[in-house]
Amino acid sequence: SLPAKLINGGIAGLIGVTCVFPIDLAKTRLQNQQNGQRLYTSMSDCLVKTIRSEGYFGMYRGAAVNLTLVTPEKAIKLAANDFFRHHLSKDGKKLTLLREMLAGCGAGTCQVIVTTPMEMLKIQLQDAGRIAAQKKLMAAQAQLSSSSAPGAAEPVVERRTTATQITRELLRSKGIAGLYKGLGATLLRDVPFSIVYFPLFANLNKLGQKDPNVKAPFYVSFLSGCVAGSTAAVAVNPCDVIKTRLQSLQRGVNEDTYSGILDCTKKIWQKEGPAAFLKGAYCRALVIAPLFGIAQVVYFIGIAEFLLDMLPKHRG
């Protein structure tokens, strides 16, 4: 039933995000830093420096936004894919690869309703620590190079903002469109991701089914979700880099600004080289693999069905 699908998707999203959010934060910061202003050399370096400068909970900046909106996002994504697969199937026959890809395309298109504002807010909070650290470093370097008045430079103090404050400011200045900045880039990432992910997962999961009418064991669903998720994540990572750059409202010192997808692609290619489009790919694979592995296990085990079945008994 649709309520069960929505509950399953929500539970899966909450568990997954809680487990992998620090890696996602590292991915955002690695993707946003540009040549000449690099603070982090790798995922582990980013996490270590984040803990040192911002504390353990600094790794979870922006997690509240994700935990709030990941439930409807994952619910829409998984339920929409099932919906399109059901309506694209003919008399219960096996879907062709093209129809599976069309179902994934529909799911990816539907989910951006929630994904775009969620990513928009999350990125601002995740990247704020990087920008503050960069400004502190530049201030320290300026102070050391100043021979006339050493120690005169004022310390850089980060003013922390919340998702609510960012939302209010965007709505006040730009209206609802402010929350949907980068919508085109989000579609460019999520639609191809779903086209790759859902057919690949479905076919990998079938390999573990001894009977077409019996669900695959949970570990098969988990591994299938991990493999399909990481493969799709790496495949669309260039689009994720572009989306992250476009949705970042604040820039570090001497960092480029972009007017759109084509402008962003051109500047990254010319100034940072093609390898820049793979920034954060390793982190993204580590985020998406367990996230979708957990999601598919929860979804296919059917925790929601168990909870919904218990409600009438409890009431009785």
Side-chain angles (χ1 to χ4, degrees):
S1 65
L2 183 59
K5 291 175 183 178
L6 296 178
I7 294 171
N8 279 333
I11 293 172
L14 290 172
I15 296 172
V17 166
T18 304
C19 294
V20 301
F21 193 84
I23 304 174
D24 187 61
L25 179 136
K27 180 217 63 141
T28 297
R29 293 188 176 185
L30 288 170
Q31 286 182 340
N32 261 337
Q33 63 178 6
Q34 300 178 21
N35 287 347
Q37 303 294 337
R38 298 183 64 186
L39 291 174
Y40 315 111
T41 58
S42 64
M43 178 187 73
S44 57
D45 180 56
C46 178
L47 293 177
V48 169
K49 288 179 178 176
T50 298
I51 293 173
R52 286 176 180 172
S53 61
E54 303 169 56
Y56 175 79
F57 290 106
M59 296 191 298
Y60 282 89
R61 293 182 69 170
V65 175
N66 253 35
L67 290 172
T68 302
L69 297 179
V70 75
T71 298
E73 188 231 15
K74 285 291 176 287
I76 289 172
K77 188 186 190 84
L78 295 171
N81 180 65
D82 272 6
F83 174 82
F84 287 116
R85 287 179 70 90
H86 173 73
H87 285 278
L88 286 169
S89 63
K90 293 183 178 180
D91 301 325
K93 293 181 180 179
K94 181 181 176 181
L95 285 174
T96 63
L97 180 60
L98 177 60
R99 288 176 180 269
E100 287 183 329
M101 293 172 70
L102 286 173
C105 177
T109 304
C110 290
Q111 80 168 80
V112 298
I113 297 169
V114 177
T115 303
T116 305
M118 179 181 76
E119 292 273 315
M120 177 72 179
L121 295 172
K122 182 195 71 172
I123 285 171
Q124 313 318 313
L125 297 171
Q126 285 183 328
D127 204 39
R130 180 189 71 89
I131 294 172
Q134 188 188 83
K135 288 180 179 178
K136 287 178 183 178
L137 180 62
M138 296 293 289
Q141 290 174 347
Q143 184 176 346
L144 288 173
S145 62
S146 175
S147 56
S148 58
E154 294 183 3
V156 177
V157 180
E158 180 190 355
R159 289 190 296 177
R160 295 203 174 193
T161 57
T162 65
T164 303
Q165 290 172 328
I166 296 171
T167 301
R168 286 175 179 170
E169 177 59 27
L170 286 171
L171 290 174
R172 184 189 63 80
S173 60
K174 299 181 180 180
I176 193 68
L179 290 173
Y180 281 87
K181 181 183 168 109
L183 175 62
T186 306
L187 279 168
L188 197 63
R189 181 198 68 172
D190 288 349
V191 172
F193 178 93
S194 295
I195 289 174
V196 173
Y197 173 78
F198 283 111
L200 183 56
F201 169 79
N203 286 282
L204 288 174
N205 198 54
K206 285 176 185 175
L207 296 177
Q209 290 180 275
K210 295 180 180 179
D211 188 320
N213 298 318
V214 178
K215 290 181 181 179
F218 79 94
Y219 64 87
V220 173
S221 293
F222 176 77
L223 292 175
S224 298
C226 288
V227 173
S230 57
T231 301
V234 173
V236 302
N237 195 75
C239 301
D240 189 57
V241 172
I242 294 168
K243 183 200 73 66
T244 300
R245 296 279 182 96
L246 289 175
Q247 288 188 319
S248 297
L249 299 176
Q250 300 294 323
R251 302 287 177 189
V253 181
N254 299 324
E255 290 186 342
D256 288 326
T257 57
Y258 311 103
S259 60
I261 295 173
L262 292 178
D263 180 55
C264 182
T265 304
K266 182 180 178 181
K267 286 181 178 176
I268 292 174
W269 182 277
Q270 291 178 341
K271 297 185 179 182
E272 302 174 59
F277 291 104
L278 293 177
K279 283 184 176 181
Y282 176 65
C283 296
R284 184 161 163 76
L286 287 179
V287 169
I288 297 297
L291 188 63
F292 278 84
I294 292 168
Q296 292 296 355
V297 168
V298 172
Y299 199 60
F300 278 85
I301 285 177
I303 292 177
E305 286 86 343
F306 173 76
L307 294 174
L308 291 173
D309 286 343
M310 290 295 291
L311 284 177
K313 297 177 183 178
H314 179 71
R315 288 172 183 170

